[in-house]
Structures are given as C-alpha cells and as structure tokens.
Amino acid sequence: MSLKNLSIFSLSVLLFSVFIVIYLNQENSKKLKRIGQWAKDNQIKVDTSTKAQKFTIDFDEKEWNLLKQKLSLTRFFTSLKDVPSFDFGFDPDYARELVEYWGNKFDWKSQVEYLNSYPQFRISINDTLIHYVYYTTNPTAAKRINILLLDGWPGAFFGFYKAIDFMEKNYKDICFDIVVPSIPGFGYSNPLEKVVDPFDTTLIFDALARFVFGENSQYFVHGEDWGSLISTFLAKLYPERIGGIHITMPPLTSFFDFNSLLYAFAGQFFPNSILTEQEIKFGFKFSLSELASLIIKKTGYFHIQATKPDSIGAGMSDSPFGLLAYVLEKYSFGSFGMNVVGKKDGGLEKFNRDDLLTIITYYWMTNCISSSMRLYRNAFYTLEKGWPRTVLNMKKISAKVPVGVQVFQHEVSFVPFKVLKNKYLNLSMYNLVENGGHFSNFENPEKISNNFIEFINLAL
Amino acid sequence: MSLKNLSIFSLSVLLFSVFLVIYLNQENSKKLNRIEQWAKNNQIKVDKSTKAQKFTIDFDEKEWNLLKQKLSLTRFFTSLKDVPSFDFGFDPDYARELVEYWGNKFDWKSQVEYLNSYPQFRISINDTIIHYVYYTTNPTAEKRINILLLDGWPGAFFGFYKAIDFMEKNYKDICFEIVVPSIPGYHFSTPLNKKHNPVETSMQFDALMRYLFGELAHYYIHGEDWGSIIATTMPQLYPSRVSGIHITMPITSESNILNNICSLLLPYVPSLFLSDQELEHEFSSRYSIKSKLWKFWDEFGYFHLQATRPDTVGHGLTDSPVGLMAYILEKYSSWTFERLNKISGSKDGGLEFFNKDDLLTVCTLYWMTNSITSSMRYYANSFNAMLEFRKQNLDFFSLSVSQTVPVGVQMNLNDIFVTPFWFIKSRYLGLIQYKIVEQGGHFAAFQNPELTVKCLVDFITQVEYKI
C-alpha cells in the first residue's frame, strides 16, 4: 500500500474510533437520563398513610427447644482420610464439634437480648414486609448525616452493630441517622411469597430512606456483597439524592463488558500493565484464567442458588447441621480464602463462636434460608423483563455520585482500579486493606467505619 | 487471486486437513496403546484369597424409627405464589405431601424384601468394598452372555430389577450372567473413606468380572449416567475383554478440535451432520453450543456444587430426609420430563408417573446407607483425577474408543442432552447401533425397563451373530 493510502486509512480508523467512543458515551448519557426519568416516574410513593411498627425479637422457647431436639438427633458422616480438611467443603468433624456446642452451651436467650439492643421496626412497602434497624448516634451533634448500611448473603443486619457502636463512640461530633434494612426474604423481612429481585429491593430501600429521612433528603450508602450491587443501582437511579456510595465488593457484572474482557486478556499476559503496584503487592490477579478459576472453583453455591434454590432449600430449612455447614463454609473461605484448606477449623476459631452461631440461629429462627437463597434465582428470573433491569449492563455511573471502594485482601472477587475508573466516573477513594475478608462488617467494623466516614467527609 | 494460485491454495488446505486427521488418529492410537499398557501393568490381582460374602439387607428397625422421627419433625418453607411450581427447584408443597406419605404410609420392610429378591454379595477389591447383585437368568440356555449393568447418580442398583426380570422372561434362549455392582461410595459399597475415581472403578469392576468369570472372561456392559463413563473407560483399558458397550449417555470429548468446529457449523448446515430423524427431533438446536450452554447453566448447579464442595451440601442431605428427597427426586423430575414441559406449573413435577414407593425406596436406600455425601464426592474426585491423569499423559476422558469395540447407543429424547450419531461416531469408532427413544428419559432402565432391554439385547445379538 502506498504511504498516501496508508495515511488516509489510519486517519479514517482513528476518526472512526473517536466517533465510536463519543457515540458510546452519548448513548450512555442518554441511557442514564432515561433511567433517571424512569426512576422518578416509578418512584414508590411514601405518604402519611405509610406506617412503621416497632419490632422486638422474641425469644421463642418452643422453636429453641425444637432446634435443640433436632440437634440432638443429628446424623453425621465421616471425613475422607486422604484429603486435607476443608478441601471438599465444610469439614464434618468440625461441624460435629460446633453442633455439640450449639446444642449444649450456646445461650440463644442472651443473644436475643443483644439483637434487641438497637431499635427495630417493620414496614410494608409495595406489599413487601421490610425489617430495619433505625438508630441515631449522638443526637445533639451539629453535623447530621443520613446513612444506609446494606449487607448481603449470608450476612445479617446485626453484623453492623459493632460498627454502629464504634461510630457513636468515636465520632461524637457527628449525628448519624442510621438505617439497616434486611433484604426482602432475609431474616425478619419475611414472609415473602413473591419474586423480589435486587432491582426491586433498590426501589424499596430508597422508599424506606425517604420515609425515614424525608422526601428530598440526601443519604450515603455503605454496601457489602449484594449491598454493593444495590448501592450501585441506587447511584444510577437517584444520583441527586445519593450523597455517595461506599462499597467493598464492586460488582463483577463489570466483567461482562468488552472493556473488562480486554483488561482480563491483557492481565493474562501482561499482569503488571493492568494492576497498580499496591494491587500487585496484595497478590490480586485479574486475568482470563483467574476469572475462569473463580467461576469454576468458587461459585458452585451461586450456580445452584441461581437455578434451583428450592431443591437445596429443603435440607437447609430442616437440618440445623446442614444450615450451619452451608453458611459457615462461606465465613471460612470468604474470610480467609483458599488458605483454609488443611485447617481443622477452616480458620473459624479466629471468630467468636457465639457470634457465628448467632448468625446461624438467626437464619434458623426466621426460617429464611430458602427465601434468602431465592434472591439469586430472582436476579436472573426477572432479567427477561429487560429494561430497566438491563441497567446492569450499563457501564458508567454518573459523575455526580462519588464512589468509594474499600477492598479487603481475601475478598471473594476482585476488579482492578483501572477497570473501576471506567465505570465509576467519580471514584474518589480506592483503598486496599490487609488481613480482612468478605464479611467486613463482621470482621472489621472499625476499619469500615473509619473508611466510610472518611469517604463521606471527602464527598461533602 | 489467479486460478492457479487458488488451486494450489485449496490443494494445500486439503492436504493439510488430511495430514491433520491422520496425525490426530495416530496420536490417538498411540495414546490408547499407552493406556492399554498402563492397564496391564496396573491390573488388580484376583486370586484364591479374594472372597465374596453373601449379603442380605437388614430391615434396621432402629434406623427406620429414627427416620420416621425426623420426618415427623420436618420443618418446611413456603412456595412462591407468583411463579409456576418447580421453576425454582423441587416444589415445597409437593415435598410436604411426599414426606407425609413417606413417614406414614411407605412400607420400608416390604421394600427391603423386594430389594433382597435378587442374590447379593460384598467383596473387598483393592481395599475397597464393592456390593453387587449377581444373578443368572435361564441357567440351562446354551448361549451364555456375561453382562455388567451400571448406573450412576442418583440411581440405585435395584433400578435394574425390572429389566432383569424382563430379560429372564423374554429371552429364554439366552443365559445372562448379570452383575450389578454399586460404585464405591454408593449404597452398600460403603464405607468409603478415601478418594475414588471412575478409572479406579473401571479397574475394580473388571477385577470383579475376572473374579466371577475367570481371567479370560469376556463381557458386555450396559451403562447409564456414570455407568456410561465407566463403560467408555473399560474398553480403553481392556479392549480385548469388553465384547461391547451399550450406553445412554455418550460423552463426545469437547477437547476434540474437529468436533468443536463441526459443532459450530451445525446450526448453519444441519443436514450435513444430521439424519432426517435427528432433524425431525430438533437435534440441530438442542446440540448447538448456545443450547448446550444454557442447559448446562439451568441444570448443572448441582454438578458444579458437588464437583467442588460436596461436603458442604452433604451435611444437610445426611441429616434431613426431606432435604435428601427434594435434592434427589428433583433429578427424577427434570431429567425425565423437562423437555415435555411437564414440569413447570405441574403440582408434582411429573413424578406421579413413577411409582411412589419406587422413588422413596431410592431415597430410603441413600438414607439408610448414609451414602449421599460419599456418592457426591465422586464428582469432585473425578475432576481432580482427570487433571492428574492428563498430567501423566493418560487422557482417558478425551480419547476415543477403539474401532474393535462394538458400541450401541440408546438416545433418550427426554434426557438432559442429546448427541447426534455423527458426533458419537467420531469418538466411539465402533458405533454399530443407534436408537432414538422418544419417550425415554435419563433413568432409562428404571423408567422403561422393557424398551431398554430390547435395545440392549438387539445390540448384543447384532454383535454376537456378526462374528
């Protein structure tokens, strides 16, 4: 090809690429406007007729005795002698130990008192029962900040209690108005007999925030696990009202776009090109093989919950031993990564045993394990309804909303800073934290509180 | 491009393809030879010291009462009102109905008598306990055929009882020497406290056949589910001993490049690869890559979980009868009826088609032997083993089956996946029989004993009288 032809060709390719980028950005802005309009039009009405009921958790003696009876009838099985502990999942010998403690030493009555230490309410929004904690720290402080604390699966609302306590004691000059809702189908946000997916939950949580904080009040959101996804949706739908979102697990849906795939491809052969120095130091990887490994090795539970939750729900609803192993396996691998293989306790002795059993007993007493697992299926089930749920695919969040990301070293999935920058246009904070895992509120209440508040101050 | 250049280019592509096919075949043959040699070197010794014990199943009253007690304490959950039943897995309302029947009407004692109606044995091979049924039909008939009947997960050995009965009554001129072993870790092939994979199972089942029929014995294999995989591995190991294999679940190795390319082309030129009958039955859409991926997503959550963390899900299934039942019977539903749309919205997921006592006998068998977790571990073990074998250059799971071994396939249309003849033939080189069964599902002999036996015996007859 002659030099002249080559220059014209290159120039036209360049112009075309520039055109594509501008076009896609315009499309993105148009879509954001559309979604903003849709969000306004479909906002759930909250008016004077909407009422919340005070709620206290009962110590249900009958249910507690049934639980103990079932525990005493537990049928066990033996571990494999020639594989390391936890290699095939939760170790049955350790489960046995925990079951014996649970049935004989664990004091559920005291735990119920602890769970009731913060004021709780229930409200019906869109015919969906929502349980939430509502607490105001340092009510006389001059600075007022509204916050929503969102957890995921298999978390629990009281996982945030230590964080709330820390915020109250260490930030005496701020009055935090704190709302901790439970996702429909989780815990006391039950019974739930219809399909409610994360998107529906987003609309409901925003309505709750408007009910508690006021129709036009601004609020900040901290989200973990599903909470990270819901936070991202909130920022897309209500950018004017969301002061900022602080998340620990940026959604991997950002993987399913061409941009992220390119990064994963680059990360396969030139890992240093797509990761920051700190990310490399932490041992994070983002490559095609890493993603494949994640999908194959770690997401069996996700796969079955997203397709046939009721088939597995039957056993977990009926067997405390089954529920314990299934849920605590997440607290093991999720907190410490694959390092738990070979450890007799899967690393769980690091946590307070009563704290762990309180989470399990809470899932047991509310009989919510099945409805909580259905959230995964719901998320896929409603996708066929198309827009606006396909907002999942939208790459960017408006630059109006600041985003803070705090990722702990053993977090389950990882998205590099360079990819996040493309998605969260106003990424104001990005911190990596050593020695922590997926259940941040449970394991590191102080670190997430400090980081969250720093993020808020930066945004204000 | 000039005509001359084009011809040279096309010719070179053609030559290259021919070269590639010949090269791959040679590689395949070399690898098969390696495996055959490995099999000879690692053959399990069967000698006078090996002894089988007669085995009878006990009606364990204490365990049965514990089961009933647990059933009476079952804690249920509610179904979703705005989705069709069985769309989210096993319907909790139907589970409740079955649990009530199981605890109050199901007669386990009678079922145990039924299970004991064929003679059973247990033997220790390579420090592994193997339980098996061994029955001889029409002992005075002249024609003797040794046959292994293999099933998989979540099956049970008695699933073949009706088939055995049909074989005896309808083929009076053949003496079938029938062996129905349970895979180690399944039912009475327990306890199993170490790793175990399909290659080891194949070796042990072959040792069992040599124990029963002598070192030079020949035998046929009928295999469903894991049984198909074992039936595919055994002729790779012992091509001279396996007379023929009859399978319902052929595995066409996805690592075969040519197969993959053809799979991609299939939706565009279906008539190039499919017979009229296959076209009629929508094989082109069902075997397309997109369709297979969707099916894998929809139906293989259990597989994904069991292949990675079997012990995690094992706790609930070991301790809760309804948990075990819902998890297992959902497969009898979705692997038998899914394609007929009999599931979504149906109260029973199609399960009323089966005899309720038969289904609960399967569940009670897993329960009484406390073998659900060890049965699920087979999946995790198999994948780990596959990677290990590949490292040693023993690619069992992707190599073809030699032309010298006759293969018969029973393609059940209501099974999860279907595979067209052309693709099966590319791996099972000795494919001589291929029958499409319209009303058939995954649990072939359990659901359709007579039809399955007819397919099987037709195949055996074809092989026997060709020689």
Side-chain angles (χ1 to χ4, degrees), chain A residues 185 309-310 312-314 316-317 367-375, chain B residues 77:
Chain A
D310 286 7
I312 203 164
M316 307 305 152
S317 303
N367 198 3
C368 75
I369 184 64
S370 242
S371 46
S372 71
M373 293 196 296
R374 281 170 174 163
L375 182 69
Chain B
F77 59 99

Side-chain angles (χ1 to χ4, degrees), chain A residues 198-251:
Chain A
F199 191 83
D200 299 320
T201 308
T202 305
L203 300 179
I204 292 172
F205 281 1
D206 174 70
L208 177 63
R210 282 181 285 113
F211 173 79
V212 174
F213 304 135
E215 219 20 63
N216 294 309
S217 298
Q218 193 189 59
Y219 59 95
F220 288 84
V221 189
H222 166 85
E224 303 179 13
D225 191 78
W226 283 108
S228 291
L229 184 70
I230 294 168
S231 306
T232 306
F233 284 175
L234 281 169
K236 285 183 182 170
L237 293 171
Y238 308 112
E240 304 85 26
R241 264 182 293 104
I242 306 293
I245 65 170
H246 180 254
I247 60 181
T248 58
M249 193 171 104

Side-chain angles (χ1 to χ4, degrees), chain A residues 63 66 69-70 73-83 87-92 95 192-195 295-304 306-322 325-326 329-330 333 338 363-365 367 370 374 377-378 380-381, chain B residues 63 66 69-70 73-84 86-92 192-195 296-302 304-305 308-324 326-327 330-331 334 338 366-370 373 377 380-381 384:
Chain A
E63 280 298 324
L66 175 66
Q69 183 184 16
K70 279 182 170 284
L73 294 172
T74 301
R75 245 236 321 212
F76 300 99
F77 61 100
T78 47
S79 53
L80 281 175
K81 300 300 166 237
D82 58 347
V83 306
D87 202 18
F88 274 14
F90 205 91
D91 189 284
L192 178 69
E193 287 176 358
K194 53 179 181 158
V195 172
I295 289 171
I296 293 173
K297 289 197 188 151
K298 296 189 193 176
T299 58
Y301 79 100
F302 185 100
H303 192 168
I304 202 170
T307 50
K308 312 237 184 200
D310 286 7
S311 293
I312 203 164
M316 307 305 152
S317 303
D318 182 50
S319 160
F321 178 62
Y326 195 77
E329 187 236 79
K330 296 291 158 260
F333 283 96
M338 300 303 261
Y363 271 89
W364 177 266
M365 289 299 181
N367 198 3
S370 242
R374 281 170 174 163
R377 175 90 173 100
N378 290 340
F380 287 89
Y381 195 75
Chain B
E63 280 298 323
L66 176 66
Q69 186 184 14
K70 277 179 170 286
L73 293 173
T74 300
R75 237 225 339 207
F76 298 97
F77 59 99
T78 48
S79 54
L80 284 173
K81 299 300 168 237
D82 60 345
V83 303
F86 279 87
D87 253 20
F88 274 52
F90 202 91
D91 188 274
L192 175 72
N193 286 328
K194 51 179 181 158
K195 296 190 283 196
F296 187 86
W297 168 252
D298 275 336
E299 297 296 332
F300 274 55
Y302 84 97
H304 195 166
L305 190 55
T308 49
R309 307 261 166 96
D311 282 14
T312 296
V313 65
H315 288 69
L317 305 185
T318 299
D319 186 44
S320 159
V322 70
L324 176 67
Y327 194 77
E330 184 243 281
K331 300 308 165 213
S334 53
E338 176 60 54
Y366 274 98
W367 178 269
M368 289 298 181
T369 53
N370 199 357
T373 307
R377 282 169 175 164
N381 281 326
N384 292 337

Side-chain angles (χ1 to χ4, degrees), chain B residues 407-423:
Chain B
V407 177
V409 168
Q410 179 186 355
M411 186 54 54
N412 295 296
L413 285 189
N414 292 319
D415 206 335
I416 318 159
F417 292 110
V418 292
T419 311
F421 174 90
W422 198 92
F423 290 85

Side-chain angles (χ1 to χ4, degrees), chain A residues 130-131 151-153 181-187 189 196 201 205 226-227 230 375:
Chain A
I130 303 284
H131 165 275
D151 204 328
W153 190 92
S182 293
I183 297 171
F186 284 59
S189 287
V196 174
T201 308
F205 281 1
W226 283 108
I230 294 168
L375 182 69

Side-chain angles (χ1 to χ4, degrees), chain B residues 115 223 326 428:
Chain B
L115 292 181
Y428 296 85

Side-chain angles (χ1 to χ4, degrees), chain A residues 270-287:
Chain A
F270 312 106
N272 295 348
S273 66
I274 61 153
L275 299 172
T276 66
E277 256 182 62
Q278 205 194 10
E279 286 169 340
I280 297 170
K281 202 178 77 154
F282 269 66
F284 285 128
K285 293 197 183 86
F286 191 75
S287 64

